[in-house]
Amino acid sequence: MRAPQLVIVETDGWIARMLAEFTAESAWLVRAARPDDAAALVRDRRPSVLVVQLDPGDDAATAAALALVSDVSARLPDVPVVVVSDVKFNDADRVAWTAALFDLGARYALFPPLTRPVFEDVVSGLMAAAGRRAGTAATPAPQPSEPPKPRPRRKKPEPDEEVIDLADEEDVNE
């Protein structure tokens, strides 16, 4: 089985550092790439996930990232693309960027506040799905466990003696 690969296209290395421990534990091949080389790396016949950094402050890097997302999504639809930014946008800009990235074919668009566990969960889920599609999943998909059985209900205790309703006796005496 060929090891799954995580291809990361970024400018400053923070994504690779954020995922370093997690990818080492998962035994994934991690490849840093430039936008020009990333498409060739994900064409390799192995389960792959592409993570692309979006830096809206750098027009050339943004144009290259958007072109890469579009190209990989069109040519290799089985390779999920995650776009990550460390720039905090206001709500309107975040919605606009998310819509544009989804239109280009990105599966996820992640913006601050971004926590490591959320990022790891996204990448892990996409990698597991890519492995299943490629037929190279290392572990079988979890089987659903049996639903819990309901606890038996206790029976209401039967009264030992006949219950006398005092309200009925008062009506009789009047």
Side-chain angles (χ1 to χ4, degrees):
M1 176 178 106
R2 299 183 78 180
Q5 71 177 350
L6 180 66
V7 179
I8 301 173
V9 177
E10 63 182 327
T11 56
D12 51 10
W14 69 271
I15 295 172
R17 285 191 303 274
M18 185 181 238
L19 295 174
E21 183 178 321
F22 178 69
T23 55
E25 290 172 1
S26 302
W28 294 341
L29 177 62
V30 179
R31 294 182 171 180
R34 295 188 319 253
D36 301 338
D37 303 330
L41 287 175
V42 295
R43 282 189 192 99
D44 193 9
R45 296 285 179 210
R46 66 177 68 230
S48 300
V49 173
L50 175 63
V51 178
V52 179
Q53 180 182 2
L54 177 68
D55 184 7
D58 183 351
D59 291 339
T62 298
L66 296 177
L68 176 61
V69 170
S70 177
D71 182 49
V72 169
S73 297
R75 293 181 188 207
L76 303 164
D78 284 345
V79 176
V81 179
V82 179
V83 179
V84 182
S85 178
D86 59 349
V87 176
K88 188 168 186 171
F89 294 106
N90 62 38
D91 289 341
D93 287 343
R94 188 178 66 248
V95 168
W97 273 107
T98 301
L101 292 166
F102 285 175
D103 286 346
L104 292 174
R107 298 265 177 95
Y108 284 89
L110 304 174
F111 301 102
L114 176 62
T115 63
R116 178 174 285 146
V118 169
F119 195 19
E120 290 173 352
D121 284 349
V122 167
V123 172
S124 175
L126 291 173
M127 190 64 77
R132 283 191 300 274
R133 278 192 308 274
T136 59
T139 58
Q143 298 298 320
S145 62
E146 290 184 28
K149 295 180 181 176
R151 292 186 294 171
R153 292 185 181 182
R154 294 188 323 160
K155 293 182 180 178
K156 292 183 181 178
E158 297 290 328
D160 293 336
E161 300 176 8
E162 186 177 330
V163 177
I164 301 173
D165 189 359
L166 296 176
D168 289 339
E169 288 184 14
E170 290 177 11
D171 291 339
V172 173
N173 294 333
E174 292 180 5

